Amino acid sequence: MSRTVIEQIKDRLPIAEVLSGYITLIPAGTQFKARCPFHNEKTPSFSVSPASGFYYCFGCGAKGDIFSFVEKFEGLDFKGTLKLLAERAGVELVYEKQDATSPDGYAFLEMITTKYQQSLQNNPAALAYLTSRGITEETITNFRIGYVPDEWQYIAQSLSSSDDKKIAQEMGIVKQVEKDGQTRLYDRFRSRIMFPLCDSSGRVIGFSGRIFPNSDTGPKYLNSPETSLFHKSKVLYGFDKAKAAIKKHNFAILVEGQMDMVVSHQYGFRNTIATSGTAVSNESAKDVFSHLAIISRLVPNIILAFDGDSAGIKAQHKAALVAYSLGMNPKVVTIPEGSDPADFLLAHGAQGWKDLLAQSTTYIQAAVARIPLNSSPAAIPRMLQSEVFPALAVVKSHIEQSQYIQMIAKELSLKESAVQSDFENFLQNHTPENITPEQIPQIDKKIIAPGLFIQFTCLSTFVQNESITKLYEKLCGYSFEGTHIVVPEYSDTELEYAHAYVEREYGHLEMKDFILLAQDFYKNITHTFLEELKQALTVQLSQKEKIGAHDDVENIVKKLHAITLRQHEI
């Protein structure tokens, strides 16, 4: 793409205008400042210069122009960023013809989306089903909903060239199967209503297919596999259409199903997004963390609008814990059991849903409200420990914790001191559940562990409880063999906790900087150990020389020599 086009976009889109759509900019003389969206900070260190068109963060070193900011914030490649900003600026993009020898995944998925759309129009039963769920023709078009018939090779048979077959496999549309000595391509999706999944710029990167007609032979929803374009943990259904409304209204509504999300937008609730065809209760902690982290970059406020059954309550619990650990403010709506957001909207209309959203409460308030007041004296503490205290433990503000404890005592007619005591006992015996396996790339444990666990000292102020203290002591329990430091072996859970904590607090570091941090700490702790060992051996040497223990003196001298050599090595 020519530099002229890039300059046109920059001329039409001032950097302050673009960035203010993502973060809150505070005037500071001729510049602006803000809290950096790329690392956690309390004091603004992110500076924006309208004159130069560049930004710089004095905290983490992030820097660049509108293209690098949007690319990093939205999680797009440069081409996707260019498309998004060009549309916003009203600049037309003209691409050179794609080289036939290198098929374009985006172009291929665009073609498949169109084919699925056409198939839906030729299937009255699938159209009737969508209509019965209240989906209008306009909505079907806007969300590009399609259908794939119950055929093993609906797409596969249309692939003529080897390049098309290759890209179809890479994009997860077809898969290769060997049977009776023959290799054939078969469609991954069959007999499903197809919802295209898009990146932040609106490009199709994968699909989520809902089975139709209903059948017991496959999962209700089937997503595209992980590909070079589609990463499930980084995709929220409808985010490309909802992000502007989320920013405008300063809160997001998270639902679990595509139908819930589509109907919500149809009724005007355009700040609604959905997980990609998977119930939150069935998602991994990593995916839940990643999805909520995407939302937290835009706004701290989220309403969890899940089904009103036990699975929905379980999903609320999982999502709320992660949201609290990210510093978000999770609220929940209580949907009647047996209903979902789409059903509720169709039955009660936009005003009914708006009224229900207005009644949303914090997750902790909702969890307390679910505890029956006539419960036995033994049942109430059990329910507090299973439903309420895990969330309260990851609320970062001690003032908020104190306010919640007052509320719990009032709502359940308990003594505040008793609730406080039980909560403190809970902390003593439970590790906070803000554990997410969002791990940095794996490096040799004996190198990376010190760099990870030096940050663990922050936990002494992060959470005050005995279990954390003991874990910290073990994590920092380095031992030494001869003149070499030995990093202890840790359990998967311990490593997961440490990785998650460091990712959340220090994930802004480039990997090369993180390696340097680890290596520096490794050197420092080894140097400290060697100096202490040398001092101890020097005292022993003096004592042995006084009593004439020549063999011991010789051994000590050898050790001191080995220490000197080791110090040169590090």
Side-chain angles (χ1 to χ4, degrees):
M1 186 60 55
S2 68
R3 180 170 173 75
T4 304
V5 172
I6 293 174
E7 288 176 341
Q8 285 181 43
I9 294 173
K10 286 186 175 183
D11 288 343
R12 298 187 187 186
L13 297 177
I15 189 169
E17 178 184 318
V18 174
L19 270 60
S20 63
Y22 296 94
I23 58 178
T24 301
L25 297 180
I26 305 168
T30 59
Q31 299 188 329
F32 293 90
K33 63 180 181 178
R35 290 177 59 184
C36 181
F38 304 126
H39 80 286
N40 294 327
E41 63 176 10
K42 295 182 179 179
T43 304
S45 61
F46 189 87
S47 177
V48 180
S49 171
S52 65
F54 283 89
Y55 66 86
Y56 182 78
C57 178
F58 293 93
C60 69
K63 59 184 177 181
D65 58 10
I66 58 174
F67 288 92
S68 61
F69 181 91
V70 172
E71 186 173 340
K72 188 170 185 178
F73 194 102
E74 299 267 15
L76 296 168
D77 60 5
F78 180 75
K79 193 172 180 180
T81 301
L82 191 63
K83 175 180 179 293
L84 189 152
L85 290 177
E87 290 175 352
R88 191 176 301 176
V91 174
E92 183 180 0
L93 297 180
V94 180
Y95 295 103
E96 295 179 5
K97 188 176 181 180
Q98 180 71 29
D99 184 352
T101 61
S102 56
D104 183 350
Y106 295 109
F108 179 82
L109 292 176
E110 177 65 24
M111 180 269 290
I112 294 296
T113 301
T114 301
K115 193 172 180 66
Y116 287 156
Q117 286 181 280
Q118 293 169 345
S119 175
L120 175 63
Q121 297 304 315
N122 295 327
N123 193 291
L127 279 171
Y129 168 75
L130 291 172
T131 301
S132 71
R133 293 298 307 269
I135 309 297
T136 65
E137 187 175 326
E138 182 183 1
T139 297
I140 291 173
T141 301
N142 288 342
F143 286 90
R144 308 190 68 188
I145 300 172
Y147 181 73
V148 57
D150 189 13
E151 298 178 18
W152 286 93
Q153 293 185 306
Y154 177 69
I155 296 296
Q157 67 183 354
S158 67
L159 303 173
S160 55
S161 71
S162 58
D163 285 335
D164 285 344
K165 293 176 181 178
K166 179 181 178 183
I167 198 71
Q169 290 182 74
E170 290 176 354
M171 294 298 103
I173 301 301
V174 301
K175 52 186 176 180
Q176 187 171 284
V177 178
E178 292 188 13
K179 187 176 182 181
D180 299 329
Q182 290 186 323
T183 300
R184 293 185 179 180
L185 294 179
Y186 292 98
D187 285 18
R188 181 180 298 274
F189 298 99
R190 298 182 300 279
S191 190
R192 291 182 180 275
I193 293 173
M194 302 298 286
F195 297 89
L197 305 175
C198 301
D199 65 12
S200 291
S201 67
R203 295 177 299 179
V204 178
I205 55 176
F207 296 93
S208 183
R210 187 196 189 284
I211 198 162
F212 180 82
N214 291 332
S215 169
D216 296 329
T217 59
K220 182 178 180 180
Y221 279 95
L222 180 65
N223 286 340
S224 292
E226 295 281 312
T227 69
S228 59
L229 302 184
F230 176 69
H231 303 284
K232 181 174 175 291
S233 64
K234 298 180 180 180
V235 177
L236 284 163
Y237 180 58
F239 184 73
D240 58 308
K241 297 181 182 298
K243 59 187 178 182
I246 289 172
K247 187 68 178 175
K248 176 183 177 181
H249 296 291
N250 197 34
F251 74 96
I253 304 170
L254 181 65
V255 296
E256 289 193 286
Q258 272 96 353
M259 290 293 185
D260 295 329
M261 184 270 180
V262 166
V263 172
S264 294
H265 276 244
Q266 183 174 292
Y267 277 80
F269 298 90
R270 294 186 174 88
N271 55 332
T272 305
I273 63 275
T275 51
S276 302
T278 304
V280 172
S281 57
N282 294 329
E283 281 196 315
S284 68
K286 177 180 178 180
D287 286 349
V288 176
F289 178 87
S290 296
H291 286 151
L292 293 181
I294 292 170
I295 300 169
S296 70
R297 282 188 170 183
L298 284 179
V299 292
N301 307 308
I302 184 170
I303 294 180
L304 307 174
F306 301 156
D307 295 358
D309 54 15
S310 59
I313 293 174
K314 181 181 177 183
Q316 279 184 11
H317 180 82
K318 179 182 285 189
L321 291 181
V322 175
Y324 279 125
S325 73
L326 284 166
M328 300 179 75
N329 308 313
K331 288 189 172 184
V332 300
V333 293
T334 303
I335 301 173
E337 188 171 354
S339 182
D340 60 28
D343 294 333
F344 191 92
L345 273 161
L346 294 173
H348 302 279
Q351 188 59 48
W353 184 240
K354 185 177 181 180
D355 292 342
L356 193 64
L357 292 175
Q359 297 170 23
S360 63
T361 61
T362 68
Y363 169 78
I364 292 176
Q365 288 175 309
V368 171
R370 287 196 296 270
I371 299 176
L373 294 177
N374 59 354
S375 300
S376 68
I380 290 179
R382 283 200 305 269
M383 285 185 277
L384 284 174
Q385 291 194 28
S386 63
E387 298 294 326
V388 180
F389 287 168
L392 187 57
V394 293
V395 171
K396 293 189 174 183
S397 168
H398 291 298
I399 294 175
E400 281 188 66
Q401 285 185 343
S402 178
Q403 291 173 335
Y404 275 125
I405 286 172
Q406 291 176 13
M407 180 273 293
I408 293 168
K410 180 179 179 181
E411 293 297 320
L412 299 178
S413 300
L414 301 170
K415 289 185 178 179
E416 186 178 326
S417 59
V419 177
Q420 180 70 46
S421 178
D422 271 14
F423 179 57
E424 290 175 356
N425 289 336
F426 174 86
L427 289 179
Q428 292 291 327
N429 297 292
H430 296 79
T431 298
E433 294 191 41
N434 58 333
I435 300 175
T436 56
E438 187 75 0
Q439 299 181 2
I440 60 171
Q442 293 297 304
I443 302 175
D444 178 44
K445 196 189 302 181
K446 290 188 177 182
I447 296 177
I448 202 65
L452 281 170
F453 303 137
I454 189 175
Q455 313 299 355
F456 231 73
T457 53
C458 298
L459 286 176
S460 61
T461 55
F462 177 59
V463 175
Q464 289 281 1
N465 70 77
E466 186 178 353
S467 63
I468 287 294
T469 303
K470 288 181 179 178
L471 178 59
Y472 168 69
E473 288 174 351
K474 180 179 179 183
L475 292 172
C476 292
Y478 304 106
S479 62
F480 301 88
E481 292 179 0
T483 59
H484 287 74
I485 182 174
V486 177
V487 178
E489 293 291 322
Y490 304 109
S491 71
D492 290 341
T493 300
E494 290 165 343
L495 285 172
E496 184 177 273
Y497 191 109
H499 282 154
Y501 181 79
V502 174
E503 171 67 19
R504 187 172 66 252
E505 299 297 327
Y506 301 92
H508 61 279
L509 290 178
E510 296 288 340
M511 181 47 58
K512 58 182 177 61
D513 296 327
F514 202 91
I515 293 173
L516 290 174
L517 174 69
Q519 292 173 337
D520 285 344
F521 181 64
Y522 184 93
K523 291 177 182 178
N524 290 338
I525 195 172
T526 304
H527 176 76
T528 300
F529 162 71
L530 292 175
E531 283 298 316
E532 292 177 355
L533 182 59
K534 184 187 285 186
Q535 291 178 16
L537 289 173
T538 301
V539 172
Q540 291 181 28
L541 180 63
S542 177
Q543 293 172 344
K544 297 299 181 182
E545 284 178 335
K546 287 180 181 179
I547 63 176
H550 300 296
D551 289 343
D552 290 339
V553 167
E554 185 177 348
N555 287 332
I556 293 173
V557 169
K558 287 181 178 178
K559 289 181 180 179
L560 287 170
H561 179 66
I563 290 173
T564 302
L565 293 176
R566 182 77 182 103
Q567 286 178 320
H568 286 304
E569 289 178 4
I570 63 170

